Amino acid sequence: MKSAEGGDSDGQNSLGECYYYRVRTTKDEEKAVRWWYLKSAECGNSSGQNNLDECYRNGIGTTKDEEKAFHWYLKSAEGGNSNGKNNLSYCYENGIGTPKDEKKAFQWYLKAAEGGNNNGQHNLGFCYENGIGTTKDEKKAIHWYLKSAEGGNSSGQNNLGSCYYNGIGTTKDEVKAFQWYLKSAERGNINGQNNLGYCYENGIGTTKDEKKAFRWYLKSAEGGNNNGQYNLGYCNQLKERIIMDNTILAIVITVEMEQQKMK
């Protein structure tokens, strides 16, 4: 607070984060945004600019304003902030506060990725895999997914697992696919959790284990993943069918035994 009041932009941004995340003070999103993030951003602090535009984009502590969000993402990105570069790319890719422009999205993802941002690396891999703003190149896609995955990005880990599973940009390897799905799932990624469940259900890259499959489908489903919810429902339906079939079988055996006794 003393640093912020003295005009230090890093201190202003950090104080804003304290109010935003309730660090040793009462949570106050409006004070975080309208006072400290804004002050930090106006002083040219790229982290403050990125935090401010996140708030404008999502309407946190202020009125939602996608054009202002884009404005501050651009400032942050031009100031060298790797998160700002990645978020600016997302705006260009999806037309948030600016006309949609996949080539510009790719260019900023590339800048973010080369700056070591693991979200940017994942998104750049996705661009290469799907030909978004650039020529489709599966080898480059897996290269950037690997960088992102090694940096701890759960989406990168999941997509890298899918590359190994489907042989995209590399030789198909179910064991490696399972290992990366596991890393992704353990970090809380709902897509990774669903894919890990599928591996356990079908014995892909690991020993078949329906109990573990069910547990990971459940985690994925609880996180809101549609595929996880479907697979969990299928497991429950299958379980009910097995119980019903066993019940019918038991009745048939009992009837046959009674008939034998009567004879």
Side-chain angles (χ1 to χ4, degrees):
M1 183 177 285
K2 285 187 179 291
S3 173
E5 289 173 344
D8 182 80
S9 64
D10 287 326
Q12 291 165 343
N13 177 60
S14 296
L15 183 59
E17 289 180 339
C18 287
Y19 279 118
Y20 184 85
Y21 294 107
R22 199 174 62 185
V23 179
R24 301 179 75 86
T25 187
T26 305
K27 186 177 177 78
D28 190 330
E29 292 177 349
E30 188 171 348
K31 190 175 284 188
V33 176
R34 295 195 177 184
W35 191 247
W36 297 114
Y37 282 158
L38 181 59
K39 280 189 175 290
S40 176
E42 288 175 339
C43 287
N45 187 286
S46 61
S47 295
Q49 291 165 342
N50 182 65
N51 286 334
L52 181 62
D53 51 40
E54 283 284 315
C55 293
Y56 275 124
R57 185 176 128 195
N58 297 295
I60 298 170
T62 187
T63 306
K64 184 173 180 177
D65 190 323
E66 291 184 347
E67 289 186 5
K68 283 185 180 178
F70 173 80
H71 167 79
W72 287 110
Y73 278 141
L74 180 60
K75 290 272 188 189
S76 177
E78 290 176 340
N81 186 280
S82 65
N83 288 319
K85 292 173 185 176
N86 178 65
N87 291 331
L88 179 64
S89 302
Y90 186 81
C91 288
Y92 277 124
E93 183 183 359
N94 297 282
I96 297 172
T98 188
K100 187 173 180 176
D101 190 324
E102 291 184 347
K103 288 186 177 179
K104 284 185 179 178
F106 170 80
Q107 290 166 357
W108 282 107
Y109 280 143
L110 179 61
K111 288 178 185 287
E114 290 177 338
N117 185 283
N118 59 44
N119 288 315
Q121 291 165 344
H122 164 259
N123 291 330
L124 183 63
F126 189 80
C127 286
Y128 276 123
E129 183 183 0
N130 297 282
I132 298 171
T134 188
T135 305
K136 188 173 180 178
D137 190 323
E138 292 181 348
K139 288 186 177 179
K140 286 184 179 177
I142 196 170
H143 167 79
W144 286 108
Y145 283 149
L146 179 60
K147 290 236 177 229
S148 175
E150 289 175 338
N153 186 281
S154 65
S155 294
Q157 291 166 342
N158 176 62
N159 285 353
L160 182 60
S162 294
C163 286
Y164 279 119
Y165 177 73
N166 295 295
I168 297 172
T170 187
T171 306
K172 185 170 181 174
D173 189 324
E174 291 184 349
V175 174
K176 285 185 178 178
F178 169 79
Q179 290 169 347
W180 284 110
Y181 284 147
L182 177 61
K183 287 182 184 289
S184 175
E186 289 177 337
R187 293 185 75 88
N189 187 284
I190 58 176
N191 293 313
Q193 290 167 345
N194 175 64
N195 289 332
L196 183 63
Y198 185 81
C199 288
Y200 276 123
E201 182 186 0
N202 298 282
I204 297 169
T206 188
T207 306
K208 187 173 180 178
D209 190 323
E210 291 182 348
K211 287 184 179 179
K212 287 184 179 178
F214 181 85
R215 181 164 65 88
W216 285 109
Y217 282 148
L218 178 61
K219 283 185 178 287
S220 177
E222 288 175 340
N225 184 279
N226 292 334
N227 291 321
Q229 290 165 348
Y230 172 81
N231 289 331
L232 181 64
Y234 179 78
C235 287
N236 285 325
Q237 188 180 46
L238 185 61
K239 183 180 177 181
E240 288 172 3
R241 191 180 303 154
I242 290 169
I243 292 170
M244 186 178 293
D245 289 345
N246 287 339
T247 302
I248 293 169
L249 181 61
I251 293 170
V252 169
I253 292 170
T254 302
V255 169
E256 287 178 348
M257 288 176 67
E258 289 297 325
Q259 288 175 343
Q260 289 293 328
K261 286 179 182 179
M262 291 174 67
K263 288 179 181 178

